[in-house]
Amino acid sequence: MHGEYKVPGGKLVVVDLDVADGALRDVRVSGDFFLEPDEALLAIDQALEGAPAETDAAGLAARVDAALPEGTVMYGLTSQGVAVAVRRALARATDWTDYDWQLVHDAPQSPALHMALDEVLTAEVAAGRRGPTLRVWEWGGPAVIIGSFQSLRNEVDPEGAARHGITVVRRVSGGGAMFVEVGNSITYSLSVPAPLVSGLSFAESYAYLDDWVLGAFADMGIKAWYQPLNDIATDAGKIGGAAQKRMVATDDGPGAVLHHVTMSYDIDADKMLEVLRIGKEKMSDKGTRSAKKRVDPLRRQTGLPREAVIDRMLTSFRNRYGLTEGHVTAEEMARAKELAETKFSSPEWTARVP
């Protein structure tokens, strides 16, 4: 069995192992990390040898920590990263490069249709009828997108939304409200087969699926990182947030994960505060006094046009994993348009948590 895991902000950890009589055997850890002394690598292998195959990541990491020689220095490597690589090997997880990735980047769509396309395309991936897809959104109008479990009245000021012509929609994933305007946001979705995140905890899957875009920012001279649970942050402030929805495996398909991210390229903070009801508790949790200071747009940080930022993101993804031009099929679009009308534009869905 073979498992790989890139430690967030660190290096790649690779684990090869067998299982016999319910225990790990012939464990071999490798990777492009740095480790001193050399004997520490053998100690890690020996610590994992014989561990029950059902041991969770915390238990595996504890075995590694207990076995490390005194004074061991790990750079780009953590005991938790080793443990996750083991769990991914046992789960027979796939890797980004195991797939033929498809890009969908179409003309602007309404907010409701974007919600529907996420659901339809991810369901197709879950059923095995569509390959992994990276979809870049173009917004047809300004919107507030609230999380699946948020209270509509607690999150949105209806008078402010009406005054500024803001459409309010509810997405299928959890998380917080997002304020977007045409040309001011960069939004994308990853619809991926569930085996890509096998062996990862819910939180670890966020970091794993965000890693490529952090690399793209690094190429643009921006040091960005994943901030648990679902933010992408820099020294200057938050630049985006992610949310996920899981679709279970069936007899016909592997299941799938929808991971979508909205980042602020530019922002009208005054308008945002007239539309969103951002509570004091949320501000306290983020460690800042001002909602305006929570988000630091990509326009200021990169100095690049929005289209250039997107192009560089896609180039980074393509160089890492490959990416071919794709499209939404006529059948998928027909289903999405129906869902946009019957579900995502309906007051019942939008106010399902009043």
Side-chain angles (χ1 to χ4, degrees), residues 121-145:
L121 297 186
T122 307
E124 289 296 287
V125 174
R129 293 187 293 265
R130 163 178 279 275
T133 301
L134 168 60
R135 184 171 73 90
V136 178
W137 304 22
E138 296 295 345
W139 291 96
V144 166
I145 308 96

Side-chain angles (χ1 to χ4, degrees), residues 267-321:
I267 192 166
D268 186 332
D270 291 325
K271 186 186 297 185
M272 178 184 73
L273 292 177
E274 292 180 24
V275 175
L276 293 182
R277 288 173 168 160
I278 301 176
K280 293 181 180 179
E281 191 67 26
K282 183 178 291 186
M283 290 301 97
S284 173
D285 181 57
K286 299 299 180 181
T288 180
R289 296 181 180 179
S290 170
K292 294 182 182 180
K293 295 179 181 178
R294 286 189 62 213
V295 179
D296 195 78
L298 287 169
R299 180 178 183 178
R300 190 192 69 79
Q301 293 205 40
T302 65
L304 296 171
R306 175 179 176 275
E307 293 74 17
V309 174
I310 293 173
D311 183 65
R312 292 197 184 190
M313 288 170 56
L314 297 179
T315 296
S316 180
F317 191 102
R318 187 176 293 109
N319 289 341
R320 282 174 170 231
Y321 310 125

Side-chain angles (χ1 to χ4, degrees), residues 90-141:
L90 292 168
R92 300 186 185 276
T94 55
D95 184 68
W96 296 83
T97 54
D98 292 331
Y99 298 103
D100 294 324
W101 289 88
Q102 184 177 133
L103 170 67
V104 172
H105 190 184
D106 289 338
Q109 309 283 6
S110 70
L113 186 56
H114 277 307
M115 304 302 111
L117 283 168
D118 261 2
E119 182 169 326
V120 169
L121 297 186
T122 307
E124 289 296 287
V125 174
R129 293 187 293 265
R130 163 178 279 275
T133 301
L134 168 60
R135 184 171 73 90
V136 178
W137 304 22
E138 296 295 345
W139 291 96

Side-chain angles (χ1 to χ4, degrees), residues 210-287:
D210 281 339
D211 186 68
W212 74 273
V213 80
L214 302 185
F217 288 146
D219 294 341
M220 289 181 254
I222 301 174
K223 182 182 179 181
W225 60 86
Y226 160 74
Q227 183 169 297
L229 172 65
N230 61 336
D231 286 350
I232 297 173
T234 70
D235 287 331
K238 173 181 172 179
I239 56 176
Q244 287 187 3
K245 175 69 176 177
R246 308 283 173 118
M247 296 190 180
V248 300
T250 66
D251 292 338
D252 298 324
V257 176
L258 168 65
H259 179 91
H260 44 198
V261 174
T262 291
M263 299 179 291
S264 292
Y265 172 73
D266 204 349
I267 192 166
D268 186 332
D270 291 325
K271 186 186 297 185
M272 178 184 73
L273 292 177
E274 292 180 24
V275 175
L276 293 182
R277 288 173 168 160
I278 301 176
K280 293 181 180 179
E281 191 67 26
K282 183 178 291 186
M283 290 301 97
S284 173
D285 181 57
K286 299 299 180 181

